[in-house]
Amino acid sequence: MKVLIATEKPFAKIAVDGIRKEIEAAGYELALLEKYTDKAQLLDAVKDANAIIIRSDIIDNEVLDAAKELKIVVRAGAGYDNVDLEAATAHGVCVMNTPGQNSNAVAELAFGLMIMAVRNFYDGKSGTELMGKKLGIHAYGNVGRNVARIAKGIGMEIYAYDAYCPKEAMEADGIIPVNTAEELYEKCNVVSLHIPATAETKNSINYELVNRMPKNGLLVNTARKEVINEADLLRLMHDRPDLKYVTDIMPVHHVEFAEQCPGRYFSTPKKMGAQTAEANINAGIAAAKQIVGFLKDGCERFRVNKK
Ligand code: 3PG
């Protein structure tokens, strides 16, 4: 059996070594395609792969067509919006993610961005502190829970909105649940986004919603760029010079944001949330173990597509 790691944005070497150990211990072969610049390289590499480990790499119908021997794709990470699930099902390929494995890394980066923004991007002028401020966690999943844990240590007042999470679970964590996204944005000085990119959420962070934030509101995005209605947010930041936006996923309109919102906008050049040795090791090795479990025992825990 051949397992391919196909990562345009590579794992740390220590994670690749750990994945190799798992795969070879199972008697399988590991192939590596890192930092590829062209889809043709991916199409070529998947030809004889029985399993693939990916990150944000796009697995579409064309890739699945080229991967004639493929049985399983594991997205080493949480969000699987980069995989065409219907096409995978049609090709008889199982798709999994590795939920929770990189969430602390993403949560820590959310605070890195937050602190940078409230300290005015380190321009030497007095900023503000996070202690005592109201934090809104938009979606209370694995990353949202880690954000809450860190925010408690900082001394923030923590609110969360998640239509799919029972309020009791939030309350048990000492978080104040709110009933609607609108309420969250109205209440909170800082909103941290942790929603996946789905048909329901794409473009949902719009003018009307963010405009509910109090004066000097800060929006932090370590989720996906697709959830932001960029035209709306640009217009709002023009109309509301008090608002700040910091993101780990460079917007399509990055140049416009940078030019039109100086001192109020920042984007990492490349998504960095899960780019830690720990997250790479956790997610990469979990992916390797899930592949071995699937190929040897048919274990389908963490499967995200239909059969
Ligand atoms: C995820 O969905 O797990 C995170 O967004 C990390 O994505 P990455 O592996 O592309 O850095």
Side-chain angles (χ1 to χ4, degrees):
M1 287 282 173
K2 187 166 179 177
V3 179
L4 171 73
I5 299 179
T7 46
E8 185 268 325
K9 184 175 61 182
F11 291 119
K13 184 178 175 303
I14 188 171
V16 175
D17 292 345
I19 295 171
R20 184 181 300 283
K21 226 170 127 192
E22 294 291 332
I23 298 301
E24 291 181 352
Y28 303 154
E29 182 194 340
L30 186 78
L32 199 55
L33 174 71
E34 290 183 322
K35 291 187 190 172
Y36 57 93
T37 48
D38 197 333
K39 190 176 183 184
Q41 293 170 273
L42 179 63
L43 293 175
D44 189 49
V46 299
K47 269 186 196 150
D48 58 352
N50 304 108
I52 312 178
I53 297 174
I54 53 160
R55 296 186 63 178
S56 292
D57 307 81
I58 309 285
I59 302 296
D60 59 13
N61 198 56
E62 194 184 3
V63 176
L64 291 158
D65 271 348
K68 298 274 182 260
E69 309 299 325
L70 191 62
K71 298 180 186 334
I72 177 167
V73 175
V74 181
R75 193 285 189 238
Y80 43 86
D81 46 303
N82 47 318
V83 182
D84 185 335
L85 298 186
E86 277 181 24
T89 299
H91 283 80
V93 171
C94 172
V95 182
M96 295 184 189
N97 66 347
T98 64
Q101 300 290 348
N102 60 16
S103 38
N104 179 63
V106 179
E108 286 189 12
L109 189 86
F111 284 93
L113 292 170
M114 233 178 264
I115 291 173
M116 182 174 68
V118 296
R119 294 302 184 97
N120 298 323
F121 304 90
Y122 311 127
D123 69 353
K125 296 187 186 131
S126 286
T128 59
E129 298 178 24
L130 293 174
M131 187 164 75
K133 302 295 184 303
K134 293 184 170 69
L135 171 67
I137 301 177
H138 194 162
Y140 199 63
N142 287 311
V143 182
R145 284 175 168 78
N146 277 284
V147 165
R149 174 180 52 78
I150 298 168
K152 276 184 207 164
I154 293 177
M156 300 183 84
E157 204 176 301
I158 311 164
Y159 297 81
Y161 171 67
D162 190 327
Y164 302 97
C165 176
K167 287 195 178 128
E168 296 72 32
M170 297 181 195
E171 280 161 353
D173 289 348
I175 310 306
I176 306 161
V178 297
N179 291 320
T180 60
E182 286 73 17
E183 201 183 330
L184 190 77
Y185 285 71
E186 263 157 32
K187 275 204 161 73
C188 294
N189 308 101
V190 182
V191 172
S192 193
L193 287 169
H194 303 292
I195 47 178
T198 62
E200 186 191 347
T201 63
K202 280 180 188 169
N203 284 316
S204 64
I205 309 304
N206 57 24
Y207 189 107
E208 196 274 328
L209 186 63
V210 185
N211 195 28
R212 290 172 182 263
M213 290 191 79
K215 194 165 167 14
N216 299 326
L218 167 62
L219 181 65
V220 182
N221 184 6
T222 54
R224 288 289 181 273
K225 69 170 182 288
E226 291 81 1
V227 302
I228 303 284
N229 184 321
E230 290 188 13
D232 270 23
L233 188 58
L234 261 173
R235 191 159 55 85
L236 177 63
M237 288 183 72
H238 172 268
D239 297 350
R240 292 263 315 259
D242 59 300
L243 292 179
K244 288 179 182 160
Y245 177 51
V246 285
T247 178
D248 185 35
I249 314 94
M250 188 173 276
V252 174
H253 297 95
H254 166 70
V255 174
E256 289 92 327
F257 275 103
E259 280 175 6
Q260 294 172 31
C261 314
R264 298 191 290 129
Y265 162 79
F266 172 82
S267 173
T268 54
K270 200 153 196 154
K271 187 152 64 104
M272 292 296 296
Q275 231 13 358
T276 65
E278 294 89 339
N280 290 176
I281 292 167
N282 293 345
I285 292 178
K289 284 188 191 299
Q290 287 172 218
I291 285 173
V292 173
F294 176 79
L295 293 177
K296 285 216 188 287
D297 306 320
C299 176
E300 299 202 354
R301 195 171 171 218
F302 303 121
R303 182 174 186 136
V304 293
N305 67 325
K306 291 196 182 115
K307 279 203 178 178

